[in-house]
Amino acid sequence: MPTRTTLTDLAEQAGVSTATVSRVLNGKAGVSADTRQAVLAALDVLGYERPEKLRRRSAGLIGLVVPELTNPVFPNFAQKIESALAHAGYTPLLCTQSPGGTTEDEYVQMLLDHGVDGIIFVSGLHADTQAAPDRYQRLRSLGTPLVLVNGFVAELDAPSISSDDVGSMDLAVRHLISQGHAKIGLAIGPQRFLPATRKMEGFSRALSERLGITDASPHIATSLFSVEGGQAAATELLESGHTAIVCGSDLMALGAIRAVRSRGLSVPEDVSVVGYDDSPLMAFTDPPLTTIRQSVDAMSMAVVNTMLAEIAGANPPRTELLFSPELIVRDSTAACPRPS
C-alpha cells in the first residue's frame, strides 16, 4: 500500500484528493475516466511504477512515423499523439527517421510485420510532391487504416489533417505591416514539400493583397528547414534590404537571428523575425520568438479520433481537415526602423 507521503505527492500532481488517488490505485469504482488518467499520469511523472492491477491490456498497435527529431515540433506531435493513443487504450509504435538511417518504407514494412491496426504519418513522404503515392495506395489496398498529417494527397483514399499554411502567412505579413514594414521576406525550405509550397503561395498572396506586390519571387529565399538553412536564406534576404523575415520553421528563425547578428545588426531593433510552429522553448530564446503556432494539441486529438474511426470502419471524410494557426507575438518583432 502506498505511503501517506506518496499519496499526497500523487494527489498534488494530479490535482485531486488523496482519497481519490487511493480509489484509483485500489481499482475502486466511482472515479471518472479523466480523473483516473490524471492519477496514472501523476504516477508516471513522479517515477512510480503502476500497480499490476492498473496495467491495461492494449487494444492494439498503432504505428506513428515522424521525421527526424531535431525539429522540436515533431517530438511535440509524437508526444501528444502517443498520449492520446494510450488514453484510447492503444499502444503506439514510434518510428523516427534520421539521415542515413531506417527509411519510411522500411519502417512501414516492420510495422506491417508487427500487425499494426493502423499507421499515422507526420510530415512523411506524403508531403513530398516528388515522391510517388504508390506506397500509400499499396497500404490502402491491404486494408491498412492511414491518417496523414501536414501533407494532403488528393488521389489517396485516406483522411488528412493539416495546419493552414496559406492562412498562416497572411497572419505574419499583416502583423509585420502593422509594425510599418514594407520590405518583408520569406525564408523557406525546399519547394517540393507541400507545406513549403503552400506557405509560398500564402506569402505571395499576402504581399499582393496587402502591399500590391505582384511578383513575390525577389522576396523569397529557399534553403533547408534547419538553423543553417535559415541563416543562409536570411543572409540572402538581408543583402537585398529586407527589414522583416518570415520563416518556414522556428529553427529557420533561429538561423535568421544568427544571420542578422553576424552582420552587426539586432533583432528586433534593426530586423524583425517571425518563426513557424511555436515549438517548445521558443518563449525562452533571445529574444523570445514571435511565431505562428501550429495547433498541435487539437490536431493530435483529431488525428487519433480519425484513426479510431478508421479502425472502427466509420470511413471519416477524405477532404483535408485544416486547422487555423495562431500568431504568438513576443519580442523578435518591432516597429520598422526609420531610414538613417
Side-chain angles (χ1 to χ4, degrees):
M1 182 72 181
T3 65
R4 171 60 58 180
T5 301
T6 301
L7 288 175
T8 301
D9 292 343
L10 291 170
E12 289 180 355
Q13 179 67 33
V16 298
S17 68
T18 55
T20 298
V21 172
S22 180
R23 294 185 69 84
V24 172
L25 295 181
N26 288 292
K28 299 289 182 64
V31 180
S32 71
D34 287 343
T35 299
R36 180 181 184 279
Q37 188 62 31
V39 173
L40 294 180
L43 281 168
D44 297 338
V45 169
L46 295 178
Y48 294 115
E49 187 176 357
R50 294 188 184 186
E52 186 73 33
K53 67 179 73 173
L54 297 183
R55 298 174 191 171
R56 295 177 296 180
R57 181 180 179 86
S58 175
L61 303 175
I62 303 291
L64 174 57
V65 183
V66 301
E68 34 69 34
L69 298 180
T70 53
N71 186 335
V73 74
F74 297 132
N76 197 15
F77 265 116
Q79 181 181 26
K80 296 296 168 47
I81 292 173
E82 283 189 319
S83 178
L85 284 172
H87 187 65
Y90 282 85
T91 300
L93 295 181
L94 178 62
C95 303
T96 62
Q97 301 172 68
S98 60
T102 306
T103 67
E104 180 179 304
D105 291 336
E106 291 169 340
Y107 272 132
V108 166
Q109 188 57 54
M110 180 203 72
L111 292 171
L112 293 177
D113 292 342
H114 279 76
V116 294
D117 296 284
I119 305 177
I120 297 167
F121 294 92
V122 179
S123 299
L125 291 173
H126 65 282
D128 187 341
T129 59
Q130 295 181 6
D134 304 8
R135 52 180 51 83
Y136 303 110
Q137 290 166 343
R138 181 177 71 88
L139 287 172
R140 290 301 297 130
S141 70
L142 295 173
T144 306
L146 308 179
V147 178
L148 309 180
V149 182
N150 283 337
F152 178 60
V153 183
E155 63 269 30
L156 184 64
D157 177 30
S160 182
I161 292 168
S162 303
S163 185
D164 183 3
D165 291 303
V166 174
S168 70
M169 292 297 99
D170 190 56
L171 287 177
V173 170
R174 276 195 291 129
H175 169 64
L176 293 169
I177 291 175
S178 74
Q179 297 291 315
H181 294 275
K183 201 74 183 292
I184 303 169
L186 173 65
I188 193 67
Q191 189 172 354
R192 74 173 195 268
F193 295 112
L194 185 59
T197 301
R198 287 177 165 180
K199 287 183 177 72
M200 293 171 70
E201 176 189 342
F203 181 76
S204 299
R205 183 184 302 175
L207 288 194
S208 175
E209 294 178 354
R210 308 286 177 189
L211 293 172
I213 298 173
T214 55
D215 180 12
S217 57
H219 307 284
I220 299 175
T222 58
S223 186
L224 300 176
F225 281 113
S226 64
V227 173
E228 295 77 14
Q231 183 173 3
T235 297
E236 181 180 334
L237 293 169
L238 291 170
E239 289 175 350
S240 53
H242 290 85
T243 62
I245 301 174
V246 182
C247 299
S249 72
D250 288 336
L251 288 185
M252 293 191 80
L254 297 181
I257 292 172
R258 181 192 291 177
V260 172
R261 288 174 174 165
S262 70
R263 299 171 72 87
L265 301 174
S266 298
V267 174
E269 291 80 7
D270 300 304
V271 179
S272 288
V273 175
V274 179
Y276 188 93
D277 287 331
D278 194 27
S279 308
L281 304 182
M282 290 304 113
F284 306 100
T285 57
D286 179 26
L289 187 66
T290 293
T291 186
I292 302 293
R293 174 183 291 167
Q294 283 202 71
S295 303
V296 174
D297 287 6
M299 289 175 66
S300 298
M301 188 58 65
V303 166
V304 172
N305 287 338
T306 301
M307 175 56 74
L308 296 179
E310 278 285 295
I311 293 172
N315 199 34
R318 269 39 184 167
T319 53
E320 184 178 25
L321 182 61
L322 286 177
F323 279 76
S324 298
E326 178 185 2
L327 175 68
I328 305 299
V329 179
R330 298 194 180 104
D331 297 339
S332 65
T333 54
C336 180
R338 294 181 178 180
S340 53

